[in-house]
Amino acid sequence: VAALAVAFLWSTASVRAEQAKTVNDGVYTDAQAKKGEAVYGEQCASCHGGDLSGGGAPALAGADFLGFWDKTPVADLVEKVQSSMPASAPGSLTRAQAAEITAFMLKANKFPAGAADLSADAAVLKAINIVK
């Protein structure tokens, strides 16, 4: 019984540790962000600005962006990009492209790069939170 209790507590702590992952933990690579920058330039910059400052569309970098997305899972942002962008052809981006664009946005918002690409898998992305 004691062994089961220890195993349960350890697995619960592991789940909590995964859920506590944030964009400050290096969840994308520089190479992925570079790919995302190219896709962003082709698909997003005309509305959101080359520097992600917005203009006719919401800013994708800076205080307004971070205030809106603070404490939300990265999954929500990737889903928004993939399902509703670009405005001229919603849903035309692949899930991988949406993850690349998100990696570029994270880099533009000065979150650190890491050793592994940002996953396109919704279950993985739900365990990573955007935090200011």
Side-chain angles (χ1 to χ4, degrees):
V1 175
L4 285 176
V6 169
F8 174 76
L9 291 173
W10 183 81
S11 67
T12 303
S14 295
V15 169
R16 273 194 219 120
E18 272 186 46
Q19 291 173 340
K21 194 168 192 177
T22 74
V23 291
N24 290 306
D25 295 323
V27 298
Y28 69 91
T29 63
D30 281 323
Q32 185 183 32
K34 188 82 170 156
K35 288 180 192 173
E37 183 176 13
V39 178
Y40 177 89
E42 296 166 5
Q43 301 291 329
C44 315
S46 62
C47 293
H48 293 278
D51 62 357
L52 293 88
S53 65
L60 301 177
D64 288 344
F65 173 82
L66 292 173
F68 183 83
W69 290 100
D70 189 36
K71 297 181 180 69
T72 61
V74 173
D76 293 1
L77 178 56
V78 172
E79 176 63 27
K80 173 80 171 173
V81 171
Q82 198 273 319
S83 67
S84 63
M85 296 293 133
S88 60
S92 62
L93 297 170
T94 67
R95 190 85 175 158
Q97 287 174 315
E100 290 167 355
I101 291 167
T102 301
F104 173 59
M105 288 191 283
L106 294 175
K107 183 175 181 82
N109 281 284
K110 301 188 182 357
F111 294 109
D117 280 352
L118 182 66
S119 175
D121 182 83
V124 172
L125 296 174
K126 284 182 183 181
I128 306 168
N129 287 317
I130 298 169
V131 296
K132 292 184 199 180

